[in-house]
Amino acid sequence: MGLELGFGALLALLIALIASAFRILREYERGVVFQLGRFWQVKGPGLILLIPVVQQMVRVDLRTVVLDVPTQDVITRDNVSVKVNAVLYFRVLDPQRAIIQVEDFLMATSQLAQTTLRAVLGKHELDELLAERERLNTDIQQVLDAQTDAWGIKVANVEIKHVDLNESMIRAIAKQAEAERERRAKVIHAEGELQASEKLMQAAEMLGRQPGAMQLRYMQTLGAIAGDKTSTIVFPLPIELLKGMADLSPKT
């Protein structure tokens, strides 16, 4: 009876060892295999056969990871305190380095993204942070990608999501925008006055060179005034106009 129990236990252990030797990796997974503690090779996808006890495998996901970078307190170059958060897109290109070169590549990338976000944005002023977000995204992505390359990780994209300002800074920006709108309105008005004065000067020069044109303009003005019948208008009659009419009258 004891012999049968021992044989059954041995058989169950053998079956468990054989079952543990087979692993299935999905299309987006790779297995970093270690043999007696030393790196052997990267396997997958599909059915993988391991030598029990002698070989161990670590699974690595090759899909793009979307990592939310927590809100960071950033002081810009013009000494404005803001709160910024971002999202990071990266994937593992080299499973061997991702497992061997860093203890936890996900945690390491997250911490590196936080420090890089503060360091890069701290070199820029608030106006750049608000208006040139695309360029800042590219700068952060390039810095992160250069540093994570040793871990076999490719940072594909970085997006700054929110830039939060305190109430006093929001009011200051609103006043600045209002002042800028008023300045533009005054500039446009001044340019319009300048153009109008130039046109009036050209018209005056033209009328001055042609006395007949001046008389015609005078008569047009009288016709426009006469159309208003609600008031009596007294106007002087220019001597030049009388001379012109005398010149046009028939000679007797």
Side-chain angles (χ1 to χ4, degrees):
M1 185 67 179
L3 183 61
E4 293 179 355
L5 291 175
F7 180 76
L10 182 62
L11 181 61
L13 179 61
L14 182 61
I15 294 174
L17 287 176
I18 294 175
S20 65
F22 293 95
R23 305 289 177 84
I24 297 177
L25 298 178
R26 296 180 177 88
E27 183 65 33
Y28 55 83
E29 291 180 327
R30 297 295 183 272
V32 180
V33 180
F34 294 88
Q35 183 169 289
L36 296 178
R38 296 181 62 86
F39 170 75
W40 185 45
Q41 68 180 31
V42 177
K43 287 192 172 184
L47 180 64
I48 306 300
L49 179 62
L50 300 175
I51 302 175
V53 181
V54 176
Q55 293 180 336
Q56 297 82 33
M57 186 189 73
V58 180
R59 291 176 183 264
V60 180
D61 196 325
L62 301 185
R63 292 177 294 181
T64 298
V65 179
V66 182
L67 180 64
D68 188 45
V69 181
T71 301
Q72 302 295 308
D73 291 322
V74 178
I75 298 179
T76 61
R77 192 172 63 180
D78 49 349
N79 294 323
V80 178
S81 179
V82 297
K83 294 182 180 296
V84 182
N85 66 343
V87 60
L88 174 68
Y89 300 86
F90 72 93
R91 61 190 297 262
V92 176
L93 293 183
D94 190 338
Q96 176 186 348
R97 286 190 292 171
I99 296 300
I100 296 176
Q101 297 298 327
V102 63
E103 179 181 2
D104 186 344
F105 66 86
L106 185 62
M107 177 62 69
T109 304
S110 175
Q111 294 297 320
L112 182 61
Q114 296 177 38
T115 57
T116 303
L117 186 67
R118 292 194 299 268
V120 173
L121 298 184
K123 298 178 182 179
H124 298 273
E125 297 182 354
L126 178 62
D127 290 343
E128 295 176 302
L129 186 58
L130 297 176
E132 301 181 11
R133 190 171 297 184
E134 291 295 331
R135 181 170 65 86
L136 295 179
N137 290 338
T138 302
D139 292 344
I140 298 172
Q141 182 267 331
Q142 291 175 350
V143 173
L144 282 175
D145 192 41
Q147 297 188 29
T148 58
D149 182 66
W151 304 338
I153 292 174
K154 171 65 177 178
V155 177
N157 195 16
V158 177
E159 293 289 341
I160 298 174
K161 293 198 300 184
H162 299 294
V163 178
D164 295 330
L165 305 172
N166 55 40
E167 292 296 330
S168 60
M169 184 55 60
I170 294 176
R171 289 194 296 268
I173 293 176
K175 291 181 181 179
Q176 180 182 1
E178 184 178 358
E180 178 65 18
R181 288 193 295 269
E182 292 179 356
R183 184 190 68 82
R184 292 180 181 178
K186 290 180 180 179
V187 169
I188 294 174
H189 180 71
E191 290 177 350
E193 291 289 340
L194 177 61
Q195 294 176 4
S197 63
E198 291 176 351
K199 295 299 182 181
L200 288 174
M201 183 176 63
Q202 294 175 4
E205 291 177 355
M206 184 176 295
L207 292 175
R209 290 194 300 266
Q210 300 291 336
M214 177 66 77
Q215 296 171 7
L216 179 61
R217 181 59 179 165
Y218 187 78
M219 297 301 296
Q220 290 177 345
T221 304
L222 292 180
I225 296 175
D228 187 3
K229 300 180 181 179
T230 60
S231 60
T232 302
I233 301 173
V234 178
F235 55 87
L237 190 62
I239 299 300
E240 293 78 3
L241 182 59
L242 294 177
K243 291 181 179 180
M245 295 176 63
D247 294 338
L248 294 177
S249 61
K251 303 295 183 179
T252 55

